[in-house]
Amino acid sequence: MQRAIELFWERFTGYSGEVILCVSLREAMQRTVALTRKIGTDTVGLSRHVPVPEALSNAGLHVMHEPPTQVDDVPVVGITAPWGLVAETGSLVIHDHDPGERLWSLVCDVHIAILDHPRIFNDLDELFTEDSAHLSTGLCLISGPSRTADIEKKLVLGMHGPRRVIALIVGVD
Amino acid sequence: MAEFRRGAKNLRRNAKTAARRPELGAVISRATDHAIIRRREVMQEIDFAAQRRRIQQLRQNATQNLPGLLDRFKARVEAKGFHFHMAVDTNAARRIVIDVAKRHTVQTVVKSKSMLGEEVGIREALEQAGIQVTETDLGEYIVQLNHEPPSHLTAPAVHLSTGEVGEILYKQAGIGPFEKPEQMAVAVRQFMRTRFFNADMGMAGANALIAETGAMLMMSNEGNIRLVTSLPRLLVVLTSVDKLVERMADLAPLIRVIPKNATGQRITNYCTVLSAPRQGQEVHIVVVNNNRMAAAGDPVFGQAIRCVRCAACINVCPVFRTIGGHAYGTVYVGPMGIVLTNALHLDPHARMLSDACTLCDACAQVCPAGIDLPGLILHIRSSGNPRLIDRFKAWVVGMTYAGAGRFKAAFWALRLFKRLFAAGYRRLWRMLGWTGRRGVPRVAGKTFDRMWDDDAKGD
Ligand code: SF4
């Protein structure tokens, strides 16, 4: 497992994603609050899959649960709880059929992903031979911030999706 | 694009136009060199030969069993609540999409990049029906503003410099003026957000259709496909029958290899497996045939249907790198474009595209589906009715290379001819059409054999 996490770390950060290992869920939530404040906002979009959501509201953050329907309603930070990661490609595995998981990982400038004891797949073959409900309802692999190189191959982060993706991983030490 | 004419029959004329613009080749080479170098680096992480065998096998299984897989896919998606439509050809595809749009009184569409969309001209058809269509992929949006088709499978605006893009965004959309790609991308993101949220209909393609589960794979770096498929309440997935694969497990080598081969990226940023309609959304899947089923059963062209549209063959093609995509005059360009345009009968003069090949074999080396592109191009070239001058050239070459004696005699005669008639020698090459854009080949004073012998004696 150690090797898989190291590989995930190397590849996810190689694509400009950020990784923070946390010893407990409590630490992950504290760090989420601190990151949100540092970004300069107190409103977050929150997927219903994120554990202990009250940790955020208790810390004084304004929490939106319903995904936005208007462009002006999009907060700067969206928080999701991916259920797995793939070491080979440095990818978060999102439960894409859930509107909260999908939209909060997509429409905000910053996507914070809280992975509490995630399923760890060494490679894509392991993932796609998995007999899981997630495979039958849909998934999305996210490997860092959205990007484009359509103008003379110059890389620009944050094309249509988040400019920053921060993965807080609990329970993999 | 105004300088380039549509239609394969304009290849020669277009190639001359491209050759008059050396800066075009420079921009394309810069962009494709980048992809080639990155590809080489990232391929070291995997066993390409083994992955190629897997992809070739799974694509071969699929193309040999398209009707069966299609039936399974249709049954699965309908059971999940998707609306399934089969379109036999371009006209049927346009009709189905416009019917769906009209039934929902659609006025605005956000669309993601799709070569099939280009093949059936879906944007133009929707626009003719009075519907506003916004291309959401940055490169595709730029070429939409510039009223031209994409010039490359994965990099639609590869033929444009940063300065040209800045000018197009400013003049055509009032965005900018900006000099840097970062500024342009940020401004387009802001402008496009409103369109995503307000669109009546989303329109996307698919990279693979999985018969086993009735799911669809969609890959994008920018995130536009996720927005297109998530925000509007009505979604049309316009895809083609050759995207079918049998199992979920088939996705692993495709997701692993396509981005590495295309741009040298380890993985495309967002790989979505869409397995069921989303809450409150109506999804129509339009599967286009356009001769694919027939081509899949063709003993020669069947292998072309294995193509996974990675564009690696285009990046390495010396002809594409010199003349760019628009010169082909067709939707699909480069080696795969030559083969697919012929296999699917997409242009009445498709055979002429086979001239745009040096048979260098670079494309075959990188193709993850194991398609013998040079072999197919040679086959296309040898079919049909070549021009008299081309037949004469082929006869001369055939005679010259028929044996060592003839070869030596031909070059002896050529050397003599050059010595006696220097001006005529140059005219001869020009007449053969080989020196319009390059120098006259020098005939060595001695044959290679003689040089070798002389060297050996010198030792
Ligand atoms: S022919 Fe091969 S290399 Fe070219 S786009 Fe298709 S799969 Fe890729």
Side-chain angles (χ1 to χ4, degrees), chain B residues 22-304:
Chain B
E23 74 284 359
L24 177 74
V27 171
I28 293 170
S29 293
R30 261 205 306 279
T32 47
D33 279 352
H34 183 267
I36 292 168
I37 293 165
R38 293 273 310 276
R39 177 187 182 275
R40 209 173 294 145
E41 285 165 10
V42 81
M43 276 299 177
Q44 287 171 3
E45 293 171 5
I46 62 169
D47 180 347
F48 179 60
Q51 294 298 322
R52 188 212 293 253
R53 276 194 299 278
R54 281 182 73 182
I55 292 177
Q56 181 169 343
Q57 190 61 52
L58 74 91
R59 294 295 300 132
Q60 192 160 314
N61 289 346
T63 53
Q64 287 174 351
N65 187 25
L66 285 181
L69 294 181
L70 185 64
D71 286 346
R72 276 170 75 189
F73 179 74
K74 178 175 184 284
R76 295 279 187 284
V77 295
E78 285 182 337
K80 291 175 182 189
F82 288 113
H83 299 261
F84 179 92
H85 309 262
M86 187 71 210
V88 283
D89 58 16
T90 292
N91 286 337
R94 289 182 187 169
R95 203 173 44 243
I96 292 165
V97 175
I98 288 170
D99 278 356
V100 170
K102 286 208 164 143
R103 265 208 311 280
H104 292 79
T105 54
V106 167
Q107 292 181 337
T108 54
V109 173
V110 280
K111 177 180 169 294
S112 65
K113 177 164 65 68
S114 138
M115 289 314 291
L116 180 71
E118 298 291 331
E119 182 184 320
V120 303
I122 201 64
R123 189 176 76 219
E124 293 77 4
L126 285 164
E127 284 170 348
Q128 274 162 21
I131 296 165
Q132 179 205 61
V133 184
T134 306
E135 295 286 355
T136 58
D137 172 272
L138 177 62
E140 192 78 19
Y141 178 59
I142 293 162
V143 295
Q144 180 187 20
L145 289 178
N146 208 29
H147 309 291
E148 59 182 352
S151 67
H152 186 281
L153 215 66
T154 57
V158 70
H159 56 290
L160 296 168
S161 66
T162 305
E164 287 171 320
V165 172
E167 206 175 304
I168 292 164
L169 287 174
Y170 184 56
K171 284 196 180 148
Q172 304 292 336
I175 295 173
F178 295 121
E179 285 176 4
K180 295 194 173 133
E182 299 81 12
Q183 300 167 309
M184 299 177 203
V186 168
V188 171
R189 172 194 168 103
Q190 276 163 2
F191 158 83
M192 209 72 97
R193 269 303 168 97
T194 319
R195 298 243 167 146
F196 280 121
F197 272 93
N198 297 340
D200 299 321
M201 182 173 114
M203 191 161 188
N207 296 87
L209 310 173
I210 304 106
E212 176 188 53
T213 55
M216 293 169 279
L217 171 70
M218 297 168 177
M219 304 200 284
S220 91
N221 280 313
E222 296 185 0
N224 60 320
I225 296 185
R226 290 190 84 206
L227 288 165
V228 160
T229 57
S230 296
L231 294 177
R233 295 200 156 273
L234 176 65
L235 171 65
V236 172
V237 179
L238 182 68
T239 182
S240 54
V241 68
D242 54 329
K243 295 288 164 68
L244 279 162
V245 296
E246 191 183 355
R247 304 167 309 146
M248 287 296 269
D250 292 339
L251 298 185
L254 295 177
I255 294 176
R256 179 179 292 128
V257 173
I258 290 176
K260 290 186 180 70
N261 229 29
T263 58
Q265 247 184 298
R266 193 172 286 119
I267 183 166
T268 312
N269 210 53
Y270 299 104
C271 298
T272 303
V273 179
L274 181 62
S275 296
R278 280 143 182 183
Q279 224 176 343
Q281 197 180 43
E282 184 174 314
V283 184
H284 293 258
I285 303 170
V286 184
V287 180
V288 182
N289 181 15
N290 237 6
N291 296 325
R292 285 167 170 79
M293 299 260 223
D298 186 285
V300 178
F301 283 115
Q303 57 171 314

